Amino acid sequence: MIPGWDQGLMDMCVGEKRELMIPPHPSHMAYLGPGLHSGKQLDESPLVFNIELLDILDSPPAPDAFAEIDKDGDKLLSVVEVQGYVKTLVAEGLEIPDGKNMTEVLWEIFQHEDRDRDGFISHSEFSGPKTHDEL
């Protein structure tokens, strides 16, 4: 999926039309391909999409990784809970990239996810698959 679509398509209703303007980003080259951006510098060119939602099909429920990680149910992910989850994924075959150790992986996760730097990843901070309270 193109980064930004997940937010831009949220809460759409069948029949609704929207224009999504996705700010310029280096990853767009993968979607545009060389030479498909009208001669403009890629970093100057937002992606613009006109979208109409035609139908919503039944699908299996999305996984709720947050609930799976949050073993104590307090809506906060601690380092211990995230470490346990990562260990489970490694046991299932996930490879830790670039020879990093568990401490480095956890540090990177918390640098990215723990936006308020309180040492926990809250439900609202978590960017992975989760159920949404408003749904």
Side-chain angles (χ1 to χ4, degrees), residues 67-80:
E68 189 175 338
I69 299 167
D70 186 22
K71 296 295 185 190
D72 62 9
D74 65 354
K75 300 281 190 207
L76 295 171
L77 303 182
S78 68
V79 172
V80 172

Side-chain angles (χ1 to χ4, degrees), residues 5-24:
W5 273 44
D6 53 343
Q7 296 167 345
L9 300 178
M10 189 69 64
D11 302 326
M12 275 189 81
C13 298
V14 172
E16 183 179 350
K17 296 179 182 180
R18 287 187 183 174
E19 181 177 271
L20 300 181
M21 183 174 290
I22 309 298

